[in-house]
Amino acid sequence: MSSLPVSADALARLGWDASYQESFAPHAARGAVPGRVIRVDRGSLLVATATEETRVPIAGRLHDDPPEGGVTAGDWVAVEGGMAVAVLARRTVFLRKVAGLSSGAQAVAANIDVTLVVTPLGDGVNARRIERTLALAWSAGALPVVLLTKADLSADLHADVALAYEVAAGAEVIAVSAVDGSGVDELRALLVAGRTAVLLGPSGAGKSTLVNLLRGEDVLATAAVRADGRGRHTTTHRELVALPGGALLVDTPGMRELALWDAGDGIAAEFADVVELALQCRFRDCTHRAEPDCAVRAAASRDAELAARIESWGKLEREQRRLDRMVDGRLRAENHRAIRAVSRSLRKRAGKHDGG
């Protein structure tokens, strides 16, 4: 249980404001009350309203017409007759592709203000994972911040922070340790009252430990890192928790696969330096492979770290293009099925008319 505030001013403390109130007006006219989703369970939601935390089933209409990626922690819903009947339009949402071969999206967190891109230290900085997560974070519409956890395990913290800044594309970088408390005050300064943040990172990155530290109590389960150095998976669902200063935080399970979803703009933002290089190529449609006067290849030949970053950019660009083709193909198939269904219906009606 997250123990979110449920008092007279609870909605404001949950992030409610005049713009939400305006969009909620049609639902209020029918007697519904607003609630913020704490956690999504099978077939039901745990929500916080102005007066209580309550579990409500999801109306059939939401199963038929869900918001992109499905209902998730941080969403605002209209609760009517003890049931979630509608989801308010989101301001921001962090989306990833569903793991596996599916071409659908999964909503990780909604209506977030800050995306905390968590990377554990100890074995250096995983620059490529930071780039991938930031590409999605920039697309989400929330302020991205790179959070280097387990800073006490770093062999060279200054170098690790410098490397993180090199790939952060202007995002702030904070090194934090739950052991000695370093960086915690800097992190708390970001998490002000009414602001919602989401923690994103691999298993064993120390996300739940950090949440407990910020809360000042053990509200989320934690586990030691395994003997082989790999993280243990402790968080099993996305959950919105309240912090003492009034901020809200979505903790998420460790994600082994963080596949892109509609991240074209985010890739461009994350790799703005590489995109700027590409504009200097001789040919506008340069593939950066064999064309003459390629500014990207020339820069890569002079800088090994930049070459790795350019390779990462190309990989994400290709992945996004493949996904776009998959989604376009799915939409074409769905449209084709819909057209065939209408055609069959029309033929049946015509047959009945001829027979009559």
Side-chain angles (χ1 to χ4, degrees):
M1 190 67 71
S2 63
S3 299
L4 288 174
V6 286
S7 60
D9 62 345
L11 288 181
R13 293 168 61 193
L14 288 169
W16 188 259
D17 59 26
S19 64
Y20 283 125
Q21 185 68 44
E22 182 178 356
S23 64
F24 188 75
H27 304 290
R30 293 194 295 270
V33 297
R36 195 157 194 200
V37 177
I38 301 171
R39 190 175 69 237
V40 180
D41 297 311
R42 291 184 179 180
S44 68
L45 309 174
L46 181 64
V47 302
T49 68
T51 58
E52 63 178 346
E53 280 188 11
T54 183
R55 189 172 301 281
V56 297
I58 302 173
R61 73 188 76 167
L62 283 183
H63 288 296
D64 296 334
D65 187 23
E68 186 175 22
V71 185
T72 192
D75 268 321
W76 283 99
V77 296
V79 180
E80 184 180 341
M83 179 177 293
V85 298
V87 178
L88 271 63
R90 295 159 168 167
R91 291 180 180 173
T92 61
V93 60
F94 189 99
L95 295 165
R96 69 165 180 170
K97 177 182 168 291
V98 174
L101 299 177
S102 171
S103 58
Q106 179 189 52
V108 176
N111 300 312
I112 49 177
D113 303 296
V114 180
T115 300
L116 298 173
V117 176
V118 181
T119 298
L121 297 179
D123 294 323
V125 174
N126 189 333
R128 305 291 80 84
R129 185 179 181 94
I130 290 176
E131 289 167 343
R132 171 178 288 271
T133 311
L134 279 174
L136 286 164
W138 290 113
S139 298
L143 175 71
V145 175
V146 177
L147 194 61
L148 303 178
T149 57
K150 304 187 179 183
D152 52 289
L153 299 181
S154 173
D156 188 339
L157 185 58
H158 179 76
D160 284 342
V161 171
L163 176 56
Y165 266 116
E166 286 182 10
V167 299
E172 186 174 356
V173 177
I174 300 175
V176 62
S177 169
V179 174
D180 59 28
S182 60
V184 175
D185 288 342
E186 191 176 355
L187 176 58
R188 282 197 174 108
L190 280 176
L191 304 177
V192 298
R195 178 175 282 184
T196 301
V198 59
L199 283 166
L200 297 167
S203 296
K207 299 187 302 297
S208 295
T209 299
L210 189 59
V211 173
N212 290 337
L213 179 65
L214 293 169
R215 278 295 304 263
E217 57 181 318
D218 291 342
V219 294
L220 298 175
T222 61
V225 174
R226 296 181 343 197
D228 62 5
R230 296 178 64 187
R232 292 181 184 270
H233 181 80
T234 53
T235 300
T236 58
H237 49 254
R238 297 177 291 280
E239 183 167 351
L240 187 69
V241 298
L243 302 180
L248 300 163
L249 193 61
V250 180
D251 187 30
T252 64
M255 299 179 187
R256 288 187 178 88
E257 181 179 347
L258 193 58
L260 301 181
W261 181 264
D262 194 19
D265 290 343
I267 294 171
E270 168 58 20
F271 294 93
D273 55 336
V274 181
V275 173
E276 182 65 27
L277 273 174
L279 293 176
Q280 300 172 28
C281 291
R282 178 178 176 183
F283 300 104
R284 180 168 295 182
D285 59 349
C286 184
T287 64
H288 320 300
R289 293 176 182 173
E291 294 87 346
D293 299 326
C294 173
V296 172
R297 287 205 324 279
S301 67
R302 297 189 298 267
D303 188 331
E305 290 186 5
L306 177 59
R309 184 162 166 79
I310 289 170
E311 183 179 353
S312 177
W313 169 66
K315 179 180 178 181
L316 296 183
E317 283 276 309
R318 291 190 296 274
E319 181 179 332
Q320 184 62 54
R321 286 196 294 269
R322 286 195 301 270
L323 175 62
D324 290 342
R325 288 194 295 269
M326 287 176 62
V327 172
D328 288 345
R330 185 194 66 187
L331 292 176
R332 285 195 299 271
E334 290 176 352
N335 288 336
H336 185 55
R337 284 195 295 270
I339 291 171
R340 284 191 300 173
V342 170
S343 178
R344 285 195 300 268
S345 176
L346 291 174
R347 286 200 301 270
K348 286 182 180 179
R349 290 182 183 179
K352 289 180 180 179
H353 179 74
D354 292 341

